[in-house]
């Protein structure tokens, strides 16, 4: 028994991993282990012999079991120490920089415009960029052979051969959203509709895709004076200073009377400054919504009237942020985007003065 004890205690102390320990456990105290076999021999002993050998064997079994358990936890502790030594990381290191994108000036300006008009009770409406010619033209009092259709440089979609329906168009302005919104909401209504529009035109001041924001306010006694006030409020909030407007008589098929609106500006060394000086810059078309347009949208023109306007978003973005070339808006040049883009944390609000 003493030999057995010395052999296993030494082997357990020398074991270097859990598998070796398990093997020793099986050899010593497993069902057919050496100590277990000895215990079976107890049956063949005399009672006197058994009285001595029984407790001694039990004690040996206990000693081996506790040596095994002790060694097992010592091995686990050593393994944990080794992991802690190799798997550390320095949580005080500065984190890796992440490249942050920027908000495109058009998106920023659209948000600014929406915030200003929201404050005056306008909600935002949207419509499809691929339109029927009814919404884009007819409902806006632009019949088939009206010269305005030709002037718009419209992109038409292709119809399959034999399909004689009029083709869809890429909307040439945001005005069709007036019709869709009046149809859906009826009157009274106060909305703006920002979005992309398309015309087959390309030079320094024209791109085939650009952005407009439409405005529409219909109620029982809305007048041209309301239009002027709303636009002056808008431009003053947008440019952050008082901006005078000039209304010039004009013609649009969907308004009567119609006016083009200029804002006050000055030219110094080839750069334009809004809200000062005595030059004028055209920024939008507007007027009182034509009775035929109201009727096309199922609103009774004898009961309701109101104004509409359409502003070029790209144009006012260029003016506010000193962007010289329209085409750069849509070039996706990263250097340009980083220079003129806005931080995503820079949310335009009226109380924050929008953006500077
Ligand atoms: N739809 C016109 C355009 O794209 C702009 C416009 C003019 C919109 C007068 C209006 C308006 O709502 O009343 O040139």
């Amino acid at each position: 028994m003493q030999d057995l004890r010395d052999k296993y205690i030494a082997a357990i102390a020398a074991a270097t991993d859990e598998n070796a320990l398990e093997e020793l456990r099986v050899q010593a105290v497993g069902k057919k282990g050496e100590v277990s076999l000895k215990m079976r021999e107890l049956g063949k002993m005399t009672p006197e012999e058994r009285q001595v050998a029984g407790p001694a064997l039990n004690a040996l079994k206990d000693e081996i079991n506790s040596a095994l358990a002790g060694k097992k936890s010592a091995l686990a502790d050593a393994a944990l120490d080794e992991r802690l030594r190799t798997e550390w990381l320095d949580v005080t290191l500065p984190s890796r920089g992440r490249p942050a994108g920027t908000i495109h000036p058009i998106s920023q300006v659209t948000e600014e415009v929406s915030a200003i008009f929201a404050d005056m009770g306008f909600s935002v409406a949207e419509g499809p960029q691929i339109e029927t010619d009814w919404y884009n033209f007819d409902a806006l009092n632009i019949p088939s052979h009206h010269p305005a259709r030709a002037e718009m440089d419209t992109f038409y979609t292709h119809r399959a051969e034999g399909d004689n329906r009029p083709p869809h168009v890429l909307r040439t302005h945001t005005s069709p959203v007036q019709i869709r919104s009046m149809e859906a909401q009826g009157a009274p209504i106060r909305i703006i509709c920002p979005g992309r529009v398309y015309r087959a035109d390309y030079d320094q001041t024209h791109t085939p895709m650009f952005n407009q924001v439409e405005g529409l306010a219909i109620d029982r006694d809305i007048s041209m004076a309301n239009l002027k006030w709303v636009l002056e409020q808008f431009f003053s909030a947008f440019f952050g200073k008082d901006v005078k407007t000039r209304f010039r008589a004009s013609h649009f098929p969907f308004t009567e009377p119609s006016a083009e609106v200029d804002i006050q500006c000055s030219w110094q060394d080839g750069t334009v400054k809004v809200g000062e000086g005595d030059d004028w810059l055209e920024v939008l078309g507007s007027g009182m919504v034509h009775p035929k347009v109201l009727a096309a949208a199922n609103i009774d023109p004898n009961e309701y009237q109101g104004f509409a306007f359409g502003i070029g978003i790209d144009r006012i973005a260029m003016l506010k942020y000193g962007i010289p070339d329209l085409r750069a808006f849509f070039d996706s040049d990263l250097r340009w985007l980083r220079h003129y883009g806005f931080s995503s944390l820079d949310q335009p609000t009226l109380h924050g003065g929008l953006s500077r």
Side-chain angles (χ1 to χ4, degrees):
M1 274 191 352
Q2 187 64 37
D3 288 350
L4 270 181
R5 181 198 169 276
D6 293 348
K7 174 173 137 190
Y8 281 110
I9 295 300
I12 289 169
T16 53
D17 61 41
E18 265 197 49
N19 291 340
L21 272 186
E22 176 60 12
E23 249 167 57
L24 287 170
R25 188 190 67 77
V26 173
Q27 272 175 39
V29 295
K31 265 192 189 145
K32 292 178 182 159
E34 284 191 275
V35 177
S36 312
L37 292 177
K38 283 263 176 291
M39 287 179 139
R40 284 194 208 157
E41 289 170 16
L42 287 172
K44 300 178 199 145
M45 292 181 189
T46 65
E48 292 75 23
E49 285 172 331
R50 200 182 302 142
Q51 235 162 25
V52 179
L57 273 171
N58 269 326
L60 174 60
K61 189 177 168 188
D62 288 348
E63 191 182 351
I64 288 174
N65 273 331
S66 78
L68 283 166
K71 182 68 182 184
K72 189 171 171 179
S73 86
L75 281 175
D77 286 351
L80 182 60
D81 284 347
E82 176 63 11
R83 257 185 85 185
L84 290 173
R85 205 176 55 73
T86 54
E87 285 184 11
W88 69 282
L89 71 134
D90 184 352
V91 294
T92 67
L93 281 176
S95 59
R96 279 188 206 118
R98 285 197 199 182
T102 58
I103 305 290
H104 195 281
I106 296 299
S107 305
Q108 183 81 6
V109 166
T110 302
E111 289 298 318
E112 293 176 13
V113 170
S114 304
I116 297 169
F117 279 107
D119 193 53
M120 291 190 276
F122 288 75
S123 52
V124 173
E126 289 186 311
Q129 294 175 38
I130 299 172
E131 263 300 6
T132 63
D133 67 339
W134 161 257
Y135 282 110
N136 196 76
F137 295 123
D138 299 75
L140 290 161
N141 195 30
I142 312 174
S144 293
H145 299 292
H146 194 285
R149 283 211 189 189
E151 280 163 25
M152 289 262 200
D153 300 310
T154 311
F155 286 110
Y156 291 93
T157 61
H158 183 73
R159 283 267 183 233
E161 204 160 326
D163 184 341
N164 293 322
R165 290 173 301 165
H168 283 87
V169 302
L170 296 187
R171 69 178 180 196
T172 57
H173 49 184
T174 43
S175 303
V177 190
Q178 286 186 32
I179 308 295
R180 288 182 176 274
S181 305
M182 286 189 283
E183 276 178 348
Q185 298 175 36
I189 185 171
R190 233 186 294 176
I191 49 156
I192 58 164
C193 334
R196 294 182 176 163
V197 300
Y198 302 84
R199 289 181 204 174
D201 210 350
Y202 190 65
D203 60 35
Q204 195 170 347
T205 53
H206 297 90
T207 50
M209 189 277 296
F210 58 105
N211 296 272
Q212 288 187 336
V213 57
E214 194 80 10
L216 176 72
I218 304 290
D219 209 329
R220 289 172 201 277
D221 51 8
I222 291 202
S223 74
M224 211 69 183
N226 299 128
L227 169 64
K228 186 163 166 92
W229 183 86
V230 163
L231 290 177
E232 285 187 348
Q233 288 294 306
F234 166 68
F235 284 116
S236 299
F238 183 73
F239 288 108
K241 52 167 122 169
D242 285 342
V243 179
K244 290 206 182 77
T245 58
R246 183 174 75 172
F247 280 57
R248 273 182 297 106
S250 182
H251 174 263
F252 299 102
F254 30 92
T255 44
E256 182 57 39
S258 303
E260 279 175 314
V261 177
D262 305 335
I263 53 176
Q264 174 198 13
C265 72
S266 72
W267 286 97
Q268 280 160 10
D269 313 323
T271 56
V272 55
K273 288 227 171 71
V274 172
E276 57 178 62
D278 38 35
D279 270 330
W280 297 97
L281 202 72
E282 187 201 321
V283 283
L284 64 92
S286 65
M288 296 300 289
V289 178
H290 197 292
K292 283 191 179 172
V293 173
L294 294 173
N298 306 322
I299 288 182
D300 181 356
N302 295 314
E303 204 177 331
Y304 288 102
Q305 63 179 28
F307 63 75
F309 57 83
I311 311 178
I313 293 187
D314 320 75
R315 166 61 75 84
I316 60 171
M318 289 167 76
L319 287 173
K320 180 166 180 179
Y321 293 113
I323 299 169
D325 191 326
L326 175 70
R327 289 172 295 192
F329 273 119
F330 314 116
D331 279 347
S332 302
D333 181 327
L334 278 178
R335 292 162 304 176
W336 187 95
L337 291 167
R338 286 191 193 114
H339 181 79
Y340 287 109
F342 292 83
S343 157
S344 54
L345 300 175
D346 194 358
Q347 290 289 327
T349 61
L350 275 180
H351 55 268
L354 302 167
S355 296
R356 279 155 294 260

